Amino acid sequence: MDEQWSKGRTVTQLATAGLAAVLLVLTGFALWAAYSTNRAARQADRLSRLSDAYQQARFAVAAEESLERKYRLEPGPEVRPRYQQAAGELLAALDGVRQRGDANDRALVAKVEAEHARYLDGIDRMFNAVDAGDTKRVLAIDGAETEPAFAAIEAQVNAAADAHHEQALAGLRALRRTEATVLVATPIAFAAGLGLLAVFWVLMLGYQRRTQRQAADNAHQALHDALTGLPNRTLLRDRTNQAIRQADRERVPVALVLLDLERFKEVNDTLGHHYGDQLLVEVGQRLKAALRGVDTVARLGGDEFAVLLPRIDTVEGAGAVVRKLQAALAQPFLLEGLTLDVEASIGLALYPEHGDDSDELLQHADIAMYVAKETHAGFVLFEPSLDQHSPRRLALLGELRRAIDHQQLILHYQPKVHARTGQVLGVEALVRWQHPEHGLTPPNDFIPLAERTGLIGPLTHYVLDAALCQCRQWQQAGHELAIAVNVSARRLLDLHFPDEVAGLLATWEIPARLLVVEITESTIMADPPRALEILGRLNTMGVQLSIDDFGTGYTSMAYLKSLPVHELKIDRSFVMQMTSDTRDAVIVRSTVDLGRNLGLRVVAEGVENQTTLQELDLLGCDAIQGYHISRPVPPDDLIRWLEQHQAATPTPPSASAGPVSDPVPTLVRHPAAKHQNSSATDH
């Protein structure tokens, strides 16, 4: 029995030792598994955060490059703060790399920061040169300083970002290998440590799922818009490149559409950002619903959307899709009981006709969209003539700045006379640029450029100032002539414009009745309420108001009776053909009848022969303007012409020399307005 007891005790001891050994093994296994998994997870997390910091630095570098180009092409007060913000984001991202990286990362950060400081110094001087219009200095600084510095920064940041992205992926793979090892070893100890293994398994799976979910969320956020959930610019570029590669293989076009919502800022300013955000979400959903499954709708930021259309058969097919998008947006949006109408300016570019890669395609679609927005055309297909940023145009822009600053532009004047009596009623001021190299540069070469770059403000001020100065000189010489000046949409919608006009009238001591502001139908329709406000202020001052090129747009009679205009000018395209085209003659007759019934003076432009003049007189047209009377001429030539004309044309007592003073409102609509400026054509 003692022997049995001894054996039993030995067995018990062995069993106890074995159980202890099993528990020790299980405990050691659990500790090893937990330690290995946790270490791999920490390493993967650190590498992921470091990779994210490098990616943020990459994006900030790209933003700096984009904003640098934007400021060079379209300088504005809002661009510099955005550039400084991008530079700050780069420094913040580099600080994140410094905190999370090793000695090599910190050395790279120090090198990039030093290079970036030199780059910012060059950028500041280059921006100052842009502001000064010194194109030559801009190119010199860019070639010698900023471009090499930026290339070095971009190369270092991109290389480091790519390398750390691979390290982050390697860390994640290492984590997964560790997890796989644990999963293989776990069944061996399953019988002895079911509870412990179950707890460990749950914890491990939970951690794995959280890690994977976080990685998936980060990847989704990096490629999608946070508000709408749509692909962002990065993902759009990737899909566009894929579509281009597919197009090269299958020899089918790719279309890229850019949409910019009209007056979205008014929604935010009036109703608040909550409604604006809802509207953006609804717009994205509508665009998606109108497209195929293979198409991509992306939000690029703000109220700008992009639509990628792979495998589009023809230009007409792309146009049909654009019309579907317009129809989708035409239906009112209902947001928390409020009904909103939305319109969009749309630009379209096609691969390979309009670009060789995604960036060029996006740039050209953006140019077409901008033209659609400026001309209120709704939709524009890109063509090379739309690109205002060719090297010659950029050089011309700098020269135009200097021409305005140094008063190198000249004004010619074309008289406007009474149709029956020939009495001179006034003149129209027409700007000319006597370029030192290109000779007399036509207005269409520099006015649209001024419109798009913000120079239209200084240019309009220059023309008004020069015209009123000339008016003062004529007045002192005994010739009191009303002067008409064309005003663009940008100036008409500027709330400070009436004050600017009042200041110039006071400077030259010119009565307001001697200034005629000419506007076009499309100019008024750009923003009718604001146009009504500004025209009302000008009318209160006593400034005469005229609608130029009347008949080329869609006129709203509701506005026609509410705007304080005094004169309608029939577009020359109708007048020049009225003696040979009965339809043009009907349009001229109808316009004359409309103007006279509303108490407005009617002026016919483009009168080139006596027959046209006689027919206009029979129709009851008040005044005429055109080559048959006089071409636009310099001020001195105009005085000589005026003296000869007055000698040959006695002034009857009934003729009225002044502008019509009875204000009658009007509004017109132009679906595809041309550029309006202070230099109308010469007829």
Side-chain angles (χ1 to χ4, degrees), residues 53-63 90 93 154 157-163 165:
Y54 272 110
Q55 290 298 329
Q56 291 171 4
R58 186 204 294 267
F59 293 152
V61 168
L90 174 59
E154 183 180 40
V157 170
N158 288 346
D162 292 338
H165 179 68

Side-chain angles (χ1 to χ4, degrees), residues 661-680:
S661 60
D662 183 19
V664 180
T666 188
L667 177 79
V668 287
R669 190 178 188 87
H670 200 319
K674 61 187 178 182
H675 286 289
Q676 303 304 331
N677 50 62
S678 301
S679 57

Side-chain angles (χ1 to χ4, degrees), residues 93-115:
L94 292 176
D95 187 61
V97 170
R98 182 187 291 108
Q99 294 176 10
R100 299 182 178 92
D102 54 18
N104 292 331
D105 293 312
R106 289 189 287 274
L108 176 62
V109 166
K111 184 177 180 181
V112 171
E113 285 179 336
E115 189 72 28

Side-chain angles (χ1 to χ4, degrees), residues 198-226:
V199 172
F200 175 75
W201 183 254
V202 170
L203 293 176
M204 185 184 65
L205 283 182
Y207 179 79
Q208 180 183 10
R209 287 169 182 167
R210 286 194 301 273
T211 302
Q212 292 174 345
R213 184 166 58 249
Q214 183 178 7
D217 289 344
N218 290 340
H220 185 274
Q221 292 174 5
L223 299 175
H224 291 78
D225 174 54

Side-chain angles (χ1 to χ4, degrees), residues 1-13:
M1 178 172 287
D2 291 341
E3 185 177 352
Q4 291 178 348
W5 180 82
S6 176
K7 288 182 178 180
R9 189 175 68 172
T10 301
V11 169
T12 301
Q13 290 175 344

Side-chain angles (χ1 to χ4, degrees), residues 71-88:
Y71 196 85
R72 289 176 59 185
L73 299 179
E74 297 181 6
E78 75 286 356
V79 180
R80 274 206 175 187
R82 291 171 56 195
Y83 185 90
Q84 293 169 357
Q85 180 182 356

Side-chain angles (χ1 to χ4, degrees), residues 526-574:
D527 190 342
R530 177 170 289 193
L532 178 60
E533 176 186 351
I534 293 175
L535 291 178
R537 290 170 59 188
L538 291 171
N539 178 62
T540 301
M541 292 163 48
V543 173
Q544 303 296 298
L545 304 172
S546 173
I547 298 182
D548 195 15
D549 298 339
F550 187 78
T552 58
Y554 296 111
T555 305
S556 169
M557 295 302 160
Y559 281 105
L560 188 60
K561 67 181 183 181
S562 60
L563 285 173
V565 297
H566 311 85
E567 179 181 88
L568 300 181
K569 298 186 73 174
I570 307 174
D571 186 69
R572 60 183 49 82
S573 62
F574 305 122

Side-chain angles (χ1 to χ4, degrees), residues 340-373:
L340 300 177
D341 292 321
V342 171
E343 295 180 355
S345 297
I346 300 177
L348 171 64
L350 299 173
Y351 174 85
E353 289 89 343
H354 302 146
D356 296 329
D357 54 37
S358 60
D359 292 334
E360 189 174 9
L361 206 59
L362 186 65
Q363 177 188 7
H364 289 166
D366 184 66
I367 290 172
M369 182 190 72
Y370 185 89
V371 173
K373 193 176 189 70

